[in-house]
Structures are given as structure tokens and as C-alpha cells.
């Protein structure tokens, strides 16, 4: 299983669904965006990065 390369100082959020809604971390709001997990090589949802706040959402079982 491969791990995506993630900057160490960016908040990582574990979520349980393929769809993610992000409107910013605490104290830093941005327009609400709907994100869809990027699949890994095996076709399982893996992670998605918010284009506004750079938070990383990881798929958790
Ligand atoms: Zn965000």
C-alpha cells in the first residue's frame, strides 16, 4: 500500500466517506467546496486535498 506524500505541517482529517465538504479549518473560513476522494491504485478511496486551505482528508475505515 503506498502512502501519499503529505506536508508535515498541514492538518490531516480522517473521514469515512468518499465525499468531503470543506469550508475551512477553525478560524480560517473559505467558500464551501465539495471534494471527492482520489482513488489509489487498487481503486479504493485514498485522500483528497482541499484547494483552498490545503487540508488533507484521508479515507479511514
Ligand atoms: Zn478547505
Amino acid at each position: 500500500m503506498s502512502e501519499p506524500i503529505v506536508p508535515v505541517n498541514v492538518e490531516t482529517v480522517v473521514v469515512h466517506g468518499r465525499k468531503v465538504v470543506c469550508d475551512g479549518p477553525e478560524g480560517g473560513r473559505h467558500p464551501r467546496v465539495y471534494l471527492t476522494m482520489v482513488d489509489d491504485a487498487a481503486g479504493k478511496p485514498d485522500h483528497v486535498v482541499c484547494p483552498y486551505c490545503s487540508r488533507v482528508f484521508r479515507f479511514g475505515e
Side-chain angles (χ1 to χ4, degrees), residues 22-24 30 50 52-53 55:
C22 185
D23 58 6
H30 62 64
C50 177
Y52 285 96
C53 63
R55 283 199 298 174

Side-chain angles (χ1 to χ4, degrees), residues 2-22:
S2 65
E3 295 289 321
I5 297 169
V6 175
V8 290
N9 59 347
V10 171
E11 182 180 356
T12 300
V13 184
V14 176
V15 293
H16 302 286
R18 189 179 285 264
K19 301 278 189 183
V20 179
V21 178
C22 185

Side-chain angles (χ1 to χ4, degrees), residues 22-58:
C22 185
D23 58 6
E26 298 239 358
R29 293 266 160 193
H30 62 64
R32 180 170 295 185
V33 288
Y34 295 86
L35 308 168
T36 302
M37 289 277 173
V38 178
D39 291 349
D40 65 15
K44 288 170 50 183
D46 188 74
H47 75 285
V48 65
V49 180
C50 177
Y52 285 96
C53 63
S54 298
R55 283 199 298 174
V56 178
F57 296 89
R58 297 205 50 142

